Amino acid sequence: METKAFQKIYTKIDNITKATVSLRARGVGNDELATVGGKLAQVVKTDGDRVTLQVFSGTEGIATDSEVIFHGMPPMLNVSDDLAGRFLNAYGEPMEGGARIEGEAREIGGPTVNPFKRIQPSELIATGIAGIDLNNTIVSGQKIPFFADPDQPYNQVMAMVALRAKADKIILGGMGLTNDDFLFFKHIFENAGALDRIVCFVNTTDNPPVERLLVPDMALTAAEYFAADKGEKVLVLLTDMTLYADALAIVANRMDQIPSKDSMPGSLYSDLARIYEKAVQLPNGGSITIIAVTTLSGGDITHAVPDNTGYITEGQLFLRNDSDTGKVIVDPFRSLSRLKQLVIGKKTREDHPQVMNAAVRLYADAANAKTKLENGFDLSDYDERALAFARDYSEHLLSIDVNIDITRMLDRAWAMFAKYFSKSEVAIKDELVEKYWPKEA
């Protein structure tokens, strides 16, 4: 950024760590941007006239007499319809060249929507992924994480959701993406012809890790523009929140803060909540729905990041490798959408709640049968049929590569019921069985 008249300029730095510098300065606000030795930085702590800044690209090459220029403003994003179809970096600047975004400059990381102005979520967000839409239906204005192991194809799932979701705008916030993942997102969106409704903010592994801290706020500022100003249904996809938390830990550690559980900063809960609480359903019909990937270390759900996330969000989606089919599925036992009851059977077909419950119950019977088999017990005829149903259910409904609408999901579930079970074994209300049970069965 260029130096402007009346900017505060200092040339005496008291302390330098790997990611931060400290000095004495007056009239400086929290989150204010600055340039330290030509490198962009942000105020992260003020104590009287003592100011600490995090330098996004690290402090290598900065000396105690380096010039510190305060810009007098926090990070900003220019918002307009020109955002659609653009790939932007953590500062909201176009990647790989391209015209600068023109529009109204808005401060990122602002407050969440006043609860008085919120309304109860009531609109279905269909993702086209049966394991989500059938068993864990997502509602506009909901916040829900994807818990996945690092070796699972969670970014591919996020791309599928972006292309299939029934939303006006999709905003991707990528943190710590490999170049391969970045190019994957870029090519799949371009080839699908979907760029007119997608906005991407990306920090790659080639960029400083601390820059990841800006990505969620950039993505959500853009989301607020389209939802609040334009009345659009916006789906925000964030990946990977574990890498975001790692960046928080880097800054906290270099500021000599006492770490909390799993070496995370003590502010982790509030840092995550500040992001997730931006999810909202607005009276003008606009909404912000957040789906965020949180990778697990060795499947450890008790780690500080997923543990805190679970307290904030409204459910969770688990990816699991299914040993029977060899496919990645949305685990029906560990996944939960706490708001699904607001739309299933109301915005979807009347049989949705009963079909969902019956399918999961029969799948649980199959899990019990599998345990019996592993322990050397004989299987009953019902057990054999339950196991066959579970394989079919995993492959044709739970697998992440199944892309059908909810009505076809329900019809497919009824066909499976009729193939493997009697009407009494399925235990669904008689009036629904009479209406939806396949006639040829």
Side-chain angles (χ1 to χ4, degrees), residues 55-82:
V55 183
F56 292 113
S57 58
T59 59
E60 185 177 352
I62 293 176
T64 54
D65 61 351
S66 292
E67 191 174 65
V68 181
I69 305 171
F70 289 96
H71 299 159
M73 62 179 187
M76 309 287 281
L77 174 68
N78 289 341
V79 296
S80 71
D81 291 345
D82 291 342

PDB file of all heavy atoms in Angstrom, residues 55-82:
ATOM      1  N   VAL A  55       2.941  -9.924  11.561  1.00  0.00           N
ATOM      2  CA  VAL A  55       3.415  -9.691  10.193  1.00  0.00           C
ATOM      3  C   VAL A  55       3.053 -10.926   9.378  1.00  0.00           C
ATOM      4  O   VAL A  55       3.530 -12.028   9.661  1.00  0.00           O
ATOM      5  CB  VAL A  55       4.932  -9.444  10.172  1.00  0.00           C
ATOM      6  CG1 VAL A  55       5.399  -9.135   8.758  1.00  0.00           C
ATOM      7  CG2 VAL A  55       5.291  -8.296  11.126  1.00  0.00           C
ATOM      8  N   PHE A  56       2.201 -10.771   8.384  1.00  0.00           N
ATOM      9  CA  PHE A  56       1.624 -11.918   7.695  1.00  0.00           C
ATOM     10  C   PHE A  56       2.675 -12.805   7.039  1.00  0.00           C
ATOM     11  O   PHE A  56       2.560 -14.032   7.062  1.00  0.00           O
ATOM     12  CB  PHE A  56       0.606 -11.453   6.646  1.00  0.00           C
ATOM     13  CG  PHE A  56      -0.626 -10.842   7.253  1.00  0.00           C
ATOM     14  CD1 PHE A  56      -0.910  -9.494   7.099  1.00  0.00           C
ATOM     15  CD2 PHE A  56      -1.509 -11.626   7.981  1.00  0.00           C
ATOM     16  CE1 PHE A  56      -2.046  -8.937   7.656  1.00  0.00           C
ATOM     17  CE2 PHE A  56      -2.656 -11.087   8.547  1.00  0.00           C
ATOM     18  CZ  PHE A  56      -2.924  -9.733   8.391  1.00  0.00           C
ATOM     19  N   SER A  57       3.700 -12.229   6.461  1.00  0.00           N
ATOM     20  CA  SER A  57       4.691 -13.040   5.755  1.00  0.00           C
ATOM     21  C   SER A  57       5.917 -13.342   6.610  1.00  0.00           C
ATOM     22  O   SER A  57       6.937 -13.821   6.100  1.00  0.00           O
ATOM     23  CB  SER A  57       5.125 -12.333   4.468  1.00  0.00           C
ATOM     24  OG  SER A  57       5.654 -11.047   4.743  1.00  0.00           O
ATOM     25  N   GLY A  58       5.839 -13.083   7.930  1.00  0.00           N
ATOM     26  CA  GLY A  58       6.961 -13.358   8.813  1.00  0.00           C
ATOM     27  C   GLY A  58       7.893 -12.159   8.939  1.00  0.00           C
ATOM     28  O   GLY A  58       7.879 -11.241   8.115  1.00  0.00           O
ATOM     29  N   THR A  59       8.702 -12.172   9.954  1.00  0.00           N
ATOM     30  CA  THR A  59       9.522 -10.995  10.275  1.00  0.00           C
ATOM     31  C   THR A  59      10.957 -11.082   9.757  1.00  0.00           C
ATOM     32  O   THR A  59      11.776 -10.218  10.088  1.00  0.00           O
ATOM     33  CB  THR A  59       9.564 -10.791  11.807  1.00  0.00           C
ATOM     34  OG1 THR A  59      10.109 -11.975  12.409  1.00  0.00           O
ATOM     35  CG2 THR A  59       8.181 -10.516  12.364  1.00  0.00           C
ATOM     36  N   GLU A  60      11.268 -12.086   8.968  1.00  0.00           N
ATOM     37  CA  GLU A  60      12.626 -12.198   8.437  1.00  0.00           C
ATOM     38  C   GLU A  60      12.991 -10.950   7.626  1.00  0.00           C
ATOM     39  O   GLU A  60      12.234 -10.505   6.764  1.00  0.00           O
ATOM     40  CB  GLU A  60      12.727 -13.440   7.542  1.00  0.00           C
ATOM     41  CG  GLU A  60      14.132 -13.699   7.033  1.00  0.00           C
ATOM     42  CD  GLU A  60      14.237 -14.961   6.201  1.00  0.00           C
ATOM     43  OE1 GLU A  60      13.230 -15.708   6.150  1.00  0.00           O
ATOM     44  OE2 GLU A  60      15.303 -15.190   5.618  1.00  0.00           O
ATOM     45  N   GLY A  61      14.140 -10.373   7.928  1.00  0.00           N
ATOM     46  CA  GLY A  61      14.591  -9.175   7.226  1.00  0.00           C
ATOM     47  C   GLY A  61      14.175  -7.882   7.876  1.00  0.00           C
ATOM     48  O   GLY A  61      14.599  -6.797   7.456  1.00  0.00           O
ATOM     49  N   ILE A  62      13.335  -7.948   8.921  1.00  0.00           N
ATOM     50  CA  ILE A  62      12.903  -6.736   9.623  1.00  0.00           C
ATOM     51  C   ILE A  62      13.894  -6.424  10.746  1.00  0.00           C
ATOM     52  O   ILE A  62      14.263  -7.307  11.529  1.00  0.00           O
ATOM     53  CB  ILE A  62      11.476  -6.915  10.182  1.00  0.00           C
ATOM     54  CG1 ILE A  62      10.471  -7.034   9.027  1.00  0.00           C
ATOM     55  CG2 ILE A  62      11.094  -5.749  11.096  1.00  0.00           C
ATOM     56  CD1 ILE A  62       9.048  -7.311   9.473  1.00  0.00           C
ATOM     57  N   ALA A  63      14.319  -5.183  10.836  1.00  0.00           N
ATOM     58  CA  ALA A  63      15.260  -4.746  11.876  1.00  0.00           C
ATOM     59  C   ALA A  63      14.536  -3.832  12.866  1.00  0.00           C
ATOM     60  O   ALA A  63      13.398  -3.399  12.633  1.00  0.00           O
ATOM     61  CB  ALA A  63      16.431  -4.005  11.236  1.00  0.00           C
ATOM     62  N   THR A  64      15.203  -3.521  13.974  1.00  0.00           N
ATOM     63  CA  THR A  64      14.571  -2.689  15.004  1.00  0.00           C
ATOM     64  C   THR A  64      14.352  -1.254  14.537  1.00  0.00           C
ATOM     65  O   THR A  64      13.571  -0.516  15.138  1.00  0.00           O
ATOM     66  CB  THR A  64      15.430  -2.676  16.280  1.00  0.00           C
ATOM     67  OG1 THR A  64      16.760  -2.277  15.945  1.00  0.00           O
ATOM     68  CG2 THR A  64      15.443  -4.063  16.926  1.00  0.00           C
ATOM     69  N   ASP A  65      15.058  -0.852  13.448  1.00  0.00           N
ATOM     70  CA  ASP A  65      14.851   0.504  12.934  1.00  0.00           C
ATOM     71  C   ASP A  65      14.032   0.508  11.634  1.00  0.00           C
ATOM     72  O   ASP A  65      13.998   1.510  10.917  1.00  0.00           O
ATOM     73  CB  ASP A  65      16.194   1.205  12.708  1.00  0.00           C
ATOM     74  CG  ASP A  65      17.068   0.474  11.693  1.00  0.00           C
ATOM     75  OD1 ASP A  65      16.710  -0.667  11.303  1.00  0.00           O
ATOM     76  OD2 ASP A  65      18.104   1.044  11.293  1.00  0.00           O
ATOM     77  N   SER A  66      13.382  -0.637  11.336  1.00  0.00           N
ATOM     78  CA  SER A  66      12.535  -0.694  10.134  1.00  0.00           C
ATOM     79  C   SER A  66      11.348   0.256  10.285  1.00  0.00           C
ATOM     80  O   SER A  66      10.852   0.508  11.399  1.00  0.00           O
ATOM     81  CB  SER A  66      12.021  -2.120   9.904  1.00  0.00           C
ATOM     82  OG  SER A  66      13.080  -2.987   9.554  1.00  0.00           O
ATOM     83  N   GLU A  67      10.891   0.770   9.176  1.00  0.00           N
ATOM     84  CA  GLU A  67       9.790   1.737   9.180  1.00  0.00           C
ATOM     85  C   GLU A  67       8.457   1.023   9.377  1.00  0.00           C
ATOM     86  O   GLU A  67       8.146   0.047   8.692  1.00  0.00           O
ATOM     87  CB  GLU A  67       9.786   2.490   7.850  1.00  0.00           C
ATOM     88  CG  GLU A  67       8.872   3.702   7.837  1.00  0.00           C
ATOM     89  CD  GLU A  67       9.013   4.503   6.560  1.00  0.00           C
ATOM     90  OE1 GLU A  67       8.669   3.954   5.481  1.00  0.00           O
ATOM     91  OE2 GLU A  67       9.485   5.652   6.618  1.00  0.00           O
ATOM     92  N   VAL A  68       7.679   1.519  10.329  1.00  0.00           N
ATOM     93  CA  VAL A  68       6.333   0.992  10.598  1.00  0.00           C
ATOM     94  C   VAL A  68       5.326   2.077  10.241  1.00  0.00           C
ATOM     95  O   VAL A  68       5.340   3.169  10.825  1.00  0.00           O
ATOM     96  CB  VAL A  68       6.168   0.589  12.078  1.00  0.00           C
ATOM     97  CG1 VAL A  68       4.765   0.033  12.322  1.00  0.00           C
ATOM     98  CG2 VAL A  68       7.222  -0.443  12.475  1.00  0.00           C
ATOM     99  N   ILE A  69       4.476   1.774   9.267  1.00  0.00           N
ATOM    100  CA  ILE A  69       3.478   2.742   8.802  1.00  0.00           C
ATOM    101  C   ILE A  69       2.089   2.208   9.111  1.00  0.00           C
ATOM    102  O   ILE A  69       1.698   1.146   8.617  1.00  0.00           O
ATOM    103  CB  ILE A  69       3.607   2.983   7.277  1.00  0.00           C
ATOM    104  CG1 ILE A  69       5.023   3.419   6.917  1.00  0.00           C
ATOM    105  CG2 ILE A  69       2.590   4.009   6.815  1.00  0.00           C
ATOM    106  CD1 ILE A  69       5.266   3.460   5.418  1.00  0.00           C
ATOM    107  N   PHE A  70       1.331   2.915   9.936  1.00  0.00           N
ATOM    108  CA  PHE A  70      -0.047   2.521  10.255  1.00  0.00           C
ATOM    109  C   PHE A  70      -0.994   3.132   9.219  1.00  0.00           C
ATOM    110  O   PHE A  70      -0.918   4.321   8.905  1.00  0.00           O
ATOM    111  CB  PHE A  70      -0.418   2.976  11.661  1.00  0.00           C
ATOM    112  CG  PHE A  70       0.290   2.204  12.740  1.00  0.00           C
ATOM    113  CD1 PHE A  70       1.460   2.697  13.306  1.00  0.00           C
ATOM    114  CD2 PHE A  70      -0.193   0.985  13.168  1.00  0.00           C
ATOM    115  CE1 PHE A  70       2.142   1.981  14.287  1.00  0.00           C
ATOM    116  CE2 PHE A  70       0.470   0.259  14.150  1.00  0.00           C
ATOM    117  CZ  PHE A  70       1.635   0.757  14.706  1.00  0.00           C
ATOM    118  N   HIS A  71      -1.892   2.310   8.706  1.00  0.00           N
ATOM    119  CA  HIS A  71      -2.773   2.746   7.620  1.00  0.00           C
ATOM    120  C   HIS A  71      -4.055   3.408   8.099  1.00  0.00           C
ATOM    121  O   HIS A  71      -4.803   3.970   7.298  1.00  0.00           O
ATOM    122  CB  HIS A  71      -3.126   1.554   6.726  1.00  0.00           C
ATOM    123  CG  HIS A  71      -1.931   0.923   6.089  1.00  0.00           C
ATOM    124  ND1 HIS A  71      -1.929  -0.371   5.602  1.00  0.00           N
ATOM    125  CD2 HIS A  71      -0.667   1.397   5.865  1.00  0.00           C
ATOM    126  CE1 HIS A  71      -0.743  -0.658   5.096  1.00  0.00           C
ATOM    127  NE2 HIS A  71       0.042   0.397   5.260  1.00  0.00           N
ATOM    128  N   GLY A  72      -4.343   3.289   9.396  1.00  0.00           N
ATOM    129  CA  GLY A  72      -5.536   3.954   9.922  1.00  0.00           C
ATOM    130  C   GLY A  72      -6.838   3.246   9.610  1.00  0.00           C
ATOM    131  O   GLY A  72      -7.915   3.815   9.778  1.00  0.00           O
ATOM    132  N   MET A  73      -6.784   1.986   9.142  1.00  0.00           N
ATOM    133  CA  MET A  73      -8.011   1.248   8.840  1.00  0.00           C
ATOM    134  C   MET A  73      -7.735  -0.251   8.943  1.00  0.00           C
ATOM    135  O   MET A  73      -6.594  -0.704   8.765  1.00  0.00           O
ATOM    136  CB  MET A  73      -8.517   1.576   7.434  1.00  0.00           C
ATOM    137  CG  MET A  73      -7.552   1.185   6.322  1.00  0.00           C
ATOM    138  SD  MET A  73      -8.194   1.568   4.694  1.00  0.00           S
ATOM    139  CE  MET A  73      -6.924   0.804   3.653  1.00  0.00           C
ATOM    140  N   PRO A  74      -8.775  -1.050   9.219  1.00  0.00           N
ATOM    141  CA  PRO A  74      -8.631  -2.503   9.270  1.00  0.00           C
ATOM    142  C   PRO A  74      -8.672  -3.086   7.859  1.00  0.00           C
ATOM    143  O   PRO A  74      -8.876  -2.348   6.883  1.00  0.00           O
ATOM    144  CB  PRO A  74      -9.861  -2.937  10.082  1.00  0.00           C
ATOM    145  CG  PRO A  74     -10.885  -1.903   9.743  1.00  0.00           C
ATOM    146  CD  PRO A  74     -10.131  -0.603   9.574  1.00  0.00           C
ATOM    147  N   PRO A  75      -8.510  -4.408   7.709  1.00  0.00           N
ATOM    148  CA  PRO A  75      -8.638  -5.012   6.375  1.00  0.00           C
ATOM    149  C   PRO A  75     -10.023  -4.751   5.785  1.00  0.00           C
ATOM    150  O   PRO A  75     -11.038  -4.820   6.485  1.00  0.00           O
ATOM    151  CB  PRO A  75      -8.422  -6.509   6.639  1.00  0.00           C
ATOM    152  CG  PRO A  75      -7.636  -6.566   7.899  1.00  0.00           C
ATOM    153  CD  PRO A  75      -8.101  -5.406   8.716  1.00  0.00           C
ATOM    154  N   MET A  76     -10.062  -4.460   4.495  1.00  0.00           N
ATOM    155  CA  MET A  76     -11.314  -4.119   3.810  1.00  0.00           C
ATOM    156  C   MET A  76     -11.486  -5.030   2.588  1.00  0.00           C
ATOM    157  O   MET A  76     -10.524  -5.575   2.052  1.00  0.00           O
ATOM    158  CB  MET A  76     -11.295  -2.663   3.354  1.00  0.00           C
ATOM    159  CG  MET A  76     -10.919  -1.648   4.420  1.00  0.00           C
ATOM    160  SD  MET A  76     -12.201  -1.366   5.652  1.00  0.00           S
ATOM    161  CE  MET A  76     -13.284  -0.257   4.739  1.00  0.00           C
ATOM    162  N   LEU A  77     -12.732  -5.173   2.169  1.00  0.00           N
ATOM    163  CA  LEU A  77     -13.045  -5.897   0.940  1.00  0.00           C
ATOM    164  C   LEU A  77     -13.989  -5.050   0.102  1.00  0.00           C
ATOM    165  O   LEU A  77     -15.000  -4.551   0.611  1.00  0.00           O
ATOM    166  CB  LEU A  77     -13.709  -7.239   1.249  1.00  0.00           C
ATOM    167  CG  LEU A  77     -14.224  -8.033   0.035  1.00  0.00           C
ATOM    168  CD1 LEU A  77     -13.047  -8.521  -0.820  1.00  0.00           C
ATOM    169  CD2 LEU A  77     -15.086  -9.212   0.472  1.00  0.00           C
ATOM    170  N   ASN A  78     -13.661  -4.876  -1.166  1.00  0.00           N
ATOM    171  CA  ASN A  78     -14.579  -4.202  -2.085  1.00  0.00           C
ATOM    172  C   ASN A  78     -15.666  -5.185  -2.505  1.00  0.00           C
ATOM    173  O   ASN A  78     -15.368  -6.256  -3.043  1.00  0.00           O
ATOM    174  CB  ASN A  78     -13.834  -3.706  -3.326  1.00  0.00           C
ATOM    175  CG  ASN A  78     -12.923  -2.534  -3.028  1.00  0.00           C
ATOM    176  OD1 ASN A  78     -13.074  -1.861  -2.009  1.00  0.00           O
ATOM    177  ND2 ASN A  78     -11.966  -2.279  -3.900  1.00  0.00           N
ATOM    178  N   VAL A  79     -16.921  -4.829  -2.230  1.00  0.00           N
ATOM    179  CA  VAL A  79     -18.031  -5.731  -2.537  1.00  0.00           C
ATOM    180  C   VAL A  79     -18.875  -5.168  -3.673  1.00  0.00           C
ATOM    181  O   VAL A  79     -19.183  -3.984  -3.716  1.00  0.00           O
ATOM    182  CB  VAL A  79     -18.915  -5.986  -1.298  1.00  0.00           C
ATOM    183  CG1 VAL A  79     -18.126  -6.711  -0.221  1.00  0.00           C
ATOM    184  CG2 VAL A  79     -19.477  -4.689  -0.727  1.00  0.00           C
ATOM    185  N   SER A  80     -19.205  -6.032  -4.596  1.00  0.00           N
ATOM    186  CA  SER A  80     -20.100  -5.708  -5.708  1.00  0.00           C
ATOM    187  C   SER A  80     -20.415  -7.005  -6.423  1.00  0.00           C
ATOM    188  O   SER A  80     -19.877  -8.064  -6.087  1.00  0.00           O
ATOM    189  CB  SER A  80     -19.441  -4.714  -6.675  1.00  0.00           C
ATOM    190  OG  SER A  80     -18.407  -5.344  -7.408  1.00  0.00           O
ATOM    191  N   ASP A  81     -21.278  -6.939  -7.414  1.00  0.00           N
ATOM    192  CA  ASP A  81     -21.601  -8.137  -8.192  1.00  0.00           C
ATOM    193  C   ASP A  81     -20.384  -8.643  -8.968  1.00  0.00           C
ATOM    194  O   ASP A  81     -20.386  -9.789  -9.446  1.00  0.00           O
ATOM    195  CB  ASP A  81     -22.746  -7.839  -9.163  1.00  0.00           C
ATOM    196  CG  ASP A  81     -24.070  -7.616  -8.433  1.00  0.00           C
ATOM    197  OD1 ASP A  81     -24.142  -7.971  -7.237  1.00  0.00           O
ATOM    198  OD2 ASP A  81     -25.016  -7.096  -9.050  1.00  0.00           O
ATOM    199  N   ASP A  82     -19.339  -7.807  -9.093  1.00  0.00           N
ATOM    200  CA  ASP A  82     -18.127  -8.223  -9.799  1.00  0.00           C
ATOM    201  C   ASP A  82     -17.364  -9.325  -9.065  1.00  0.00           C
ATOM    202  O   ASP A  82     -16.447  -9.930  -9.634  1.00  0.00           O
ATOM    203  CB  ASP A  82     -17.187  -7.020 -10.000  1.00  0.00           C
ATOM    204  CG  ASP A  82     -17.753  -6.011 -10.983  1.00  0.00           C
ATOM    205  OD1 ASP A  82     -18.660  -6.385 -11.753  1.00  0.00           O
ATOM    206  OD2 ASP A  82     -17.300  -4.844 -10.970  1.00  0.00           O
TER     207      ASP A  82
END
